Amino acid sequence: MGAATSAPGSADVGRVRGLDGLRAIAAFAIVFHHVGFQSAATYRQDFWGGYLGRLDIGVPVFFALSGFLLFRPIAASVLDDTPVRPALDHVWRRALRIYPAFWVALTLIVLLTSEGFVDLTGGVTTYLLVHIHWPTHSIGPMPQAWSLATEISFYAALPLMARFLRPWLRDRDRAGRRNGLFVFVAVCALVSVFFRIWVLTLDTRWTSSQVLWLPGTLDYFAIGMGLAVARVGFTQGDSIRGRLERWAGPAGAWWVAAAVLFHIVSQQMGLALGVETASWSREIARQAVYGAIGFCLLFPLVFGAAQRSMVRTVVRSGPLEWLGTISYSIYLWHMVFVVHPVEPLADLFGAVRESSLWDYAG
């Protein structure tokens, strides 16, 4: 089979500290987002409801992180003309990372709770993580699994990207290859935007699932992909790399910008508080703002790492990095404890439900 990801061939494909901490923050954003739905706090017409409704920003952050981490070795292999990992090896590694833990969680949730599948097709497609391609199965016993299905689509697309990019850019010099990679990433983002506009304006029974497909979310991955190209494409000592390091230095300023954008998308854009969609133009604007937030969070971690800042200290801290390493388990299991609390958590959840936060009735 064809190429997938590269063996390290560029000088800058090592571990980037802080990304695990950011992953932990994204995971807990999703947890609180789902708590908001289940408690009905999201639907309060008050200050906090808007914020809870927009904490799904954690998913775009996950996608941007995947775009950076998984496209970076491909970019390095294209730029440096280094050997690439066989596609079967790439697929096997990704499958082992995702499927076993997912299968265990999904099976136990179906066996031990009231959650179930619509029909046999729903069960098979969900276990294979391709269920988002059927409008009747896109949300199943583990609602958050839609994003895993999108991730799987991205993993499957990576070998195709590598197979296309390497021969297309092979005859160029390194700068030409880098520019070609930036063009490719920009095209991916534009295709995603136009695909989403298309499906939202058509507004068919397929729309709610189509917006979850890889073409509808590829612009989020493209944020990380673009940063990956910049990271490996501009080497230490390059003037552009120097500017990127300086611009990214004040990490706190970038995260404040992300917070301001989050406030705007939560309170100022008139978006639906639930799963309903707003007008197609507002949905496209929301996606653009989400992407900008993801960039503001990720950029100062990818670059400017040598400069001290409170943000970097926090996301590199031991506890947050540890939470980042178990974030997949948090993501898989949190919803069942929110929706189906078990002893000894039942009394705690019952007390919370009796509080004003859970009492909202309309």
Side-chain angles (χ1 to χ4, degrees):
M1 291 185 68
T5 55
S6 73
S10 180
D12 211 348
V13 292
R15 180 171 180 261
V16 177
R17 289 201 61 198
L19 299 189
D20 282 336
L22 179 57
R23 185 178 287 108
I25 293 171
F28 280 100
I30 295 299
V31 171
F32 285 108
H33 175 67
H34 289 147
V35 168
F37 275 122
Q38 184 64 19
S39 67
T42 294
Y43 298 98
R44 288 177 179 265
Q45 301 297 321
D46 64 9
F47 190 70
W48 297 108
Y51 288 131
L52 289 169
R54 300 277 73 85
L55 282 176
D56 58 342
I57 181 62
V59 172
V61 173
F62 277 134
F63 289 167
L65 281 166
S66 291
F68 174 76
L69 292 169
L70 298 179
F71 193 73
R72 186 170 53 148
I74 288 179
S77 73
V78 170
L79 288 167
D80 300 330
D81 197 23
T82 54
V84 292
R85 181 179 294 148
L88 279 178
D89 186 29
H90 160 74
V91 170
W92 178 247
R93 286 169 180 261
R94 291 291 95 196
L96 285 180
R97 171 72 176 87
I98 296 296
Y99 279 110
F102 169 71
W103 286 335
V104 169
L106 181 61
T107 300
L108 291 177
I109 287 169
V110 170
L111 291 176
L112 301 179
T113 75
S114 59
E115 302 293 341
F117 301 108
V118 174
D119 51 32
L120 179 60
T121 301
V124 172
T125 56
T126 301
Y127 269 94
L128 294 176
L129 283 174
V130 295
H131 58 292
I132 59 172
H133 299 98
W134 281 262
T136 54
H137 305 312
S138 56
I139 303 298
M142 191 186 291
Q144 71 273 29
W146 75 262
S147 63
L148 299 179
T150 307
E151 285 265 2
I152 289 291
S153 300
F154 181 65
Y155 299 162
L158 287 169
L160 302 177
M161 293 180 186
R163 173 167 285 192
F164 165 73
L165 288 168
R166 285 178 59 80
W168 176 46
L169 299 174
R170 180 173 289 125
D171 294 334
R172 305 187 187 190
D173 61 16
R174 198 175 193 278
R177 294 174 184 175
R178 182 184 62 223
N179 294 338
L181 287 170
F182 278 127
V183 169
F184 173 77
V185 171
V187 169
C188 287
L190 288 174
V191 166
S192 182
V193 171
F194 284 118
F195 176 84
R196 201 169 180 93
I197 291 174
W198 176 59
V199 299
L200 286 171
T201 52
L202 285 178
D203 194 21
T204 69
R205 74 183 187 93
W206 285 83
T207 297
S208 61
S209 59
Q210 286 175 319
V211 295
L212 309 179
W213 297 356
L214 180 61
T217 55
L218 189 56
D219 50 343
Y220 292 145
F221 291 97
I223 292 165
M225 292 163 65
L227 288 172
V229 175
R231 171 90 179 193
V232 298
F234 299 112
T235 57
Q236 296 289 345
D238 186 286
S239 61
I240 296 180
R241 175 63 175 261
R243 284 197 292 271
L244 291 173
E245 297 286 352
R246 290 193 299 274
W247 292 342
W254 286 98
W255 280 45
V256 167
V260 170
L261 289 170
F262 182 68
H263 172 75
I264 291 171
V265 78
S266 301
Q267 306 292 333
Q268 307 295 325
M269 292 180 61
L271 297 169
L273 292 176
V275 296
E276 300 83 5
T277 58
S279 65
W280 72 266
S281 57
R282 288 188 180 184
E283 287 298 315
I284 294 300
R286 177 195 58 78
Q287 183 129 340
V289 176
Y290 275 12
I293 292 170
F295 177 84
C296 289
L297 295 176
L298 189 54
F299 176 62
L301 302 183
V302 172
F303 294 102
Q307 301 185 46
R308 297 181 61 183
S309 73
M310 183 177 296
V311 165
R312 295 188 183 93
T313 299
V314 170
V315 296
R316 295 172 181 173
S317 64
L320 208 57
E321 288 203 328
W322 177 76
L323 287 171
T325 62
I326 65 168
S327 61
Y328 184 45
S329 296
I330 295 171
Y331 196 75
L332 288 177
W333 286 102
H334 77 275
M335 196 66 172
V336 72
F337 288 103
V338 172
V339 179
H340 302 283
V342 295
E343 297 293 349
L345 295 178
D347 292 338
L348 173 62
F349 272 73
V352 173
R353 284 197 181 96
E354 291 173 3
S355 72
S356 60
L357 179 64
W358 291 71
D359 272 343
Y360 180 67

